[in-house]
Amino acid sequence: MDKTIGSAAEAVSGIENGMTIMIGGFGGSGAPIELIHALIDKGVKNLTVINNNAGNGRIGIAAMIDAGMVKKMICSFPRSSDPRAFTDRYLAGEIELELVPQGTLAERIRAGGAGIPAFYTPTAYGTELANGKPIAEFDGRHYVQERWLKADVAIVKAHLADTYGNLTYNKAGRNFNPLMCMAATRTIAQVSKIVSAGGIDPEHVVTPGIFVDGVVEIPNPQQEEELIRAGVAYA
Amino acid sequence: MDKTIGSAAEAVSGIENGMTIMIGGFGGSGAPIELIHALIDKGVKNLTVINNNAGNGRIGIAAMIDAGMVKKMICSFPRSSDPRAFTDRYLAGEIELELVPQGTLAERIRAGGAGIPAFYTPTAYGTELANGKPIAEFDGRHYVQERWLKADVAIVKAHLADTYGNLTYNKAGRNFNPLMCMAATRTIAQVSKIVSAGGIDPEHVVTPGIFVDGVVEIPNPQQEEELIRAGVAYA
Amino acid sequence: MTVDAQPINTRDDIKLSNAQIAWRAAQDIADGAYVNLGIGFPEMVARYQPPGRQAIFHTENGILNFGEAPPPGEEDWDLINAGKKAVTLKPGAAFFHHADSFAMVRGGHLDVAILGAYQVAQNGDLANWRVGAKGVPAVGGAMDLVHGAKQVCVITEHVTKDGKPKLVEACTFPLTGVGCITRVYTSHAVIDIQDDRFVLREKLAAMSLEELQAMTGARLHLDGSVADLVVPQL
Amino acid sequence: MTVDAQPINTRDDIKLSNAQIAWRAAQDIADGAYVNLGIGFPEMVARYQPPGRQAIFHTENGILNFGEAPPPGEEDWDLINAGKKAVTLKPGAAFFHHADSFAMVRGGHLDVAILGAYQVAQNGDLANWRVGAKGVPAVGGAMDLVHGAKQVCVITEHVTKDGKPKLVEACTFPLTGVGCITRVYTSHAVIDIQDDRFVLREKLAAMSLEELQAMTGARLHLDGSVADLVVPQL
């Protein structure tokens, strides 16, 4: 068994129109830029994209939005240093937004991965983001019922992978990536290096390979922040 | 800030009669034998103990039960190679048992640590272990509502700690320990070695120090399985 | 129809051994499958992986890709399986805590779970955790394992030691899970559970369908031909 | 009562700077406290930890014990805080994923969270995420952070730029959380929220209670003496 995939293009080849896609990263930290750009090259449409943010500048998720690929964003913070791509489409009514508090977003994704269809959280109780959601009282306090989030595909960025798909991450680039690995029918990770089975200490594995379907080596991945400062646009 | 505690006796000094105590470990793997025995030396009573099991032989949790310290066990599997301590008291009606499926037990503890008062799981639906619990249907399937578990104190076993309470574990000795660290008002870890802050790679921390209140160094911890094979009784 | 003074379930010439049942179950596990084997008898399945295929075994106490027991005296008692037996690691193993471990189970990430049974009902209900209200109840991970794996299979004797059916219309023992079992490997047959019915896939050639039906507590349905259940000497 | 042609909130001699508000908030953070500082103004609190005390800062994107920004050109853009600014690590840091990070928040493991505000109501309600229905809404971690920390504090100007009260009887902007704020550090006072009331603890000596009340949108209650709000030049 070897989960290695030869190229980013091959890695995203199974992503089809209308799918729900989880994309890892928090802003540019841990964002799988090369897989996103391969998906733009493939050119699918009507995607629902789950990410903490909604793109920045003219690259990554912002470039997906610019290319008209995104029907709906599920995120906590659709702002950035250069949020034009999302903002323009949103204000024009051309893209849907499901705004989710950041911790609830993380927990809903984990719940999707863990087979928990719903849970209760104090977050958003009494606010407009709880509108229409069931409320329950436990031990004298009110909580909002939130549902799991799942996806057809997750594309994530990790640091090392072994051929079994065990993953480690780079610093705070971890963020949503391990959760999204759990919550998608098919999970593809771009990594800086693929090592043989046994090349990662079992104690240091962050995402066990059972959550990962394919790994593709991108030796020197681009950082969103650096691309934005360089004024790069992907189209 | 230094979370080091000088002795096992001092580590358990805050545990009082009637408290709910989480004790880490799966069988003997990852079981904090020295902290348990220090608690026996202290001699508190009417404890509710949360552990996957209910003791083995005449040491550890079994010795706590033998000493009449345990009012109630919350566990998934109160059997072992030598389950006399629990079995005798249970059949005599001298100890309460709340039997919880293992995955539900783990998730209830995590929920306690994560501020999730209740969640839904397919586990135990349609069985006697779901009796009296709310049932809900999501996407055409039935689920059982389960509540969080919290404790006054957690005593756990880890491998390394730094002075800030960041922890690593030894192999499958991890099990319930990281979850219990999250779910107790006060968490004490016995570790094989305490290193200075910076002595554990931030990428390799399994339990961040925010979940840990005190660490005590027990350089060559005993293993329950070896003690049982040697016929040791702690009293 | 074969007629014999001795009941068929007690005739070793018309019955698979536990090892043979485990062997048969192992043949259906694909290369690269993630598999959880219940404590005890199901653990035997790991011995019979077909050549060229490698399954990755999960134990609910927090290991993926563990292997055989170490030589006596070389045990690390922090490195055990769910049955509390010492194990070893294979290359590419990973450790994780109990909540992540049961996320794998409950979240549908395992390909196959193989469990023992007291009773399996034709609607897929399983009873395998206790036989009555006496004694100390203990459930472990059984109620979790029956949910989530893509295939949840049972390996079992076809009947109890005293000849009573274990495949039944409805379980009489306390349930472990409802509608959760998809395939049963017995000492005499391989049976799928589909649409609340037992569908016979394979049976030992030495016995007739009628003989098998007589040992079974619910109707066996056919869906196409029934293959011979062929297993090597082990 | 001081009477002056110029409204008090525009007089720099009777008003703390943002740095001074941050300084005052920092004095209440105990040694060893786990603290989350909201994006922007609250981040300033980290600069003013009293000597001999060390707080451990949490950022919701998965770091405990991060420190100052690195020198320009030495950024690792995988090592950022919740405001997407590059940071460094202190010894004893730890990384974790977002679900674990918000377990720390929601689970009550933080000692202090310090946030900005558009409005704080006397019952502890906070509005700090949007001012109306226009534009693109963005909430981030604000609605999570207001739950779980043992102390959830606000630092803020006492009034808006055009002189309207930010401490009010009831919020008119969309809520971030209900009944969640326990203490407010403003440009003019330190105020606790207890039993649905603003309780004045400290005020600038240069202004009277009446002047402060006039700038405040709900009644200020007293519970014992009011201390002078004393802050160094910064």
Side-chain angles (χ1 to χ4, degrees), chain A residues 55-57 77 79-84 224-225 228-229, chain D residues 83-84:
Chain A
N56 194 1
F77 204 79
R79 283 192 207 137
S80 62
S81 60
D82 176 6
R84 280 174 296 172
E224 184 178 277
E225 188 70 26
I228 286 167
R229 288 170 184 231
Chain D
K84 316 256 166 48

Side-chain angles (χ1 to χ4, degrees), chain D residues 37-57:
Chain D
L37 303 174
I39 294 173
F41 172 24
E43 291 180 51
M44 289 179 76
V45 172
R47 296 184 202 162
Y48 299 113
Q49 292 181 73
R53 285 193 232 162
Q54 186 185 9
I56 294 178
F57 294 102

Side-chain angles (χ1 to χ4, degrees), chain C residues 166-191:
Chain C
K166 299 186 76 166
L167 281 67
V168 295
E169 290 191 348
C171 294
T172 55
F173 294 144
L175 291 186
T176 306
V178 298
C180 51
I181 302 301
T182 51
R183 176 163 266 212
V184 185
Y185 302 94
T186 80
S187 46
H188 295 79
V190 177
I191 294 165

